[in-house]
Amino acid sequence: MSAHSNSPQSQASAAADPRHRPAPLPRQAYRVFRTLSTRWMDNDIYGHVNNVVYYSWFDTAVNAYLIEQGALDIHGGATIGLVVETQCNYFAPLAFPQRIDVGLRVARLGGSSVRYEVGIFAEGQEMSAACGHFVHVYVGREDRRPCALPQRLREVLAPLCVAS
């Protein structure tokens, strides 16, 4: 598969095509990484990390990045991000005890929303074990109405943007 066929736009078009089969992405498709450890409780009865844990990893990677970059104040910031859409495709099992790398990129930086794309990698592996996305709509903390993305958020997300 060419690099062009894995662009966010072509992935969205392909996802609407029932003949399309999602595929893992390489590490180079992502801009920043966070290493996490699986936990004993992450494994399910089938001996691998349960699907719901991946969404927790998405949240952890995105929000930790924003906090570390000074773009998110979870206790007193005027704006907060609400997840309005999420999706994940799984390609290879992960299990405790295993370390993972979570790759992050931004596919769309809108007026009040951001589409984050996330890749989950077994430590040391070149291809993702899972790929997914979620969309944050940024709203006022008090009124919960959509608002413009804060300038600092735009500044820290701009380097993560990928061409569509």
Side-chain angles (χ1 to χ4, degrees):
M1 214 173 215
S2 72
H4 175 72
S5 65
N6 280 331
S7 72
Q9 184 178 28
S10 64
Q11 283 182 338
S13 300
D17 181 350
R19 297 169 296 171
H20 171 73
R21 183 178 190 102
L25 294 176
R27 284 179 180 269
Q28 68 190 24
Y30 297 93
R31 301 289 194 250
V32 295
F33 288 85
R34 171 168 299 280
T35 300
L36 301 173
S37 294
T38 57
R39 304 164 304 170
W40 174 256
M41 67 183 228
D42 295 338
N43 282 6
D44 62 19
I45 192 76
Y46 303 116
H48 62 261
V49 172
N50 189 270
N51 59 295
V52 300
V53 175
Y54 290 74
Y55 290 100
S56 174
W57 292 338
F58 289 6
D59 252 349
T60 297
V62 169
N63 289 307
Y65 177 79
L66 296 177
I67 291 166
E68 290 165 357
Q69 299 299 313
L72 175 63
D73 176 353
I74 60 173
H75 300 294
T79 60
I80 58 173
L82 301 179
V83 175
V84 298
E85 177 182 306
T86 186
Q87 176 270 328
C88 188
N89 291 298
Y90 307 90
F91 308 112
L94 298 169
F96 176 83
Q98 193 170 22
R99 291 176 59 84
I100 60 156
D101 297 320
V102 182
L104 179 61
R105 66 188 191 181
V106 171
R108 183 177 180 282
L109 194 54
S112 63
S113 66
V114 178
R115 178 184 163 115
Y116 298 97
E117 293 186 342
V118 184
I120 305 294
F121 296 81
E123 187 176 47
Q125 294 298 305
E126 176 58 25
M127 300 303 287
S128 60
C131 293
H133 76 268
F134 74 87
V135 176
H136 263 159
V137 170
Y138 285 84
V139 300
R141 179 183 294 276
E142 299 303 319
D143 65 8
R144 302 292 167 115
R145 303 292 306 153
C147 59
L149 297 178
Q151 185 59 34
R152 181 64 186 148
L153 185 65
R154 285 189 172 285
E155 290 169 1
V156 303
L157 293 180
L160 305 185
C161 288
V162 294
S164 56

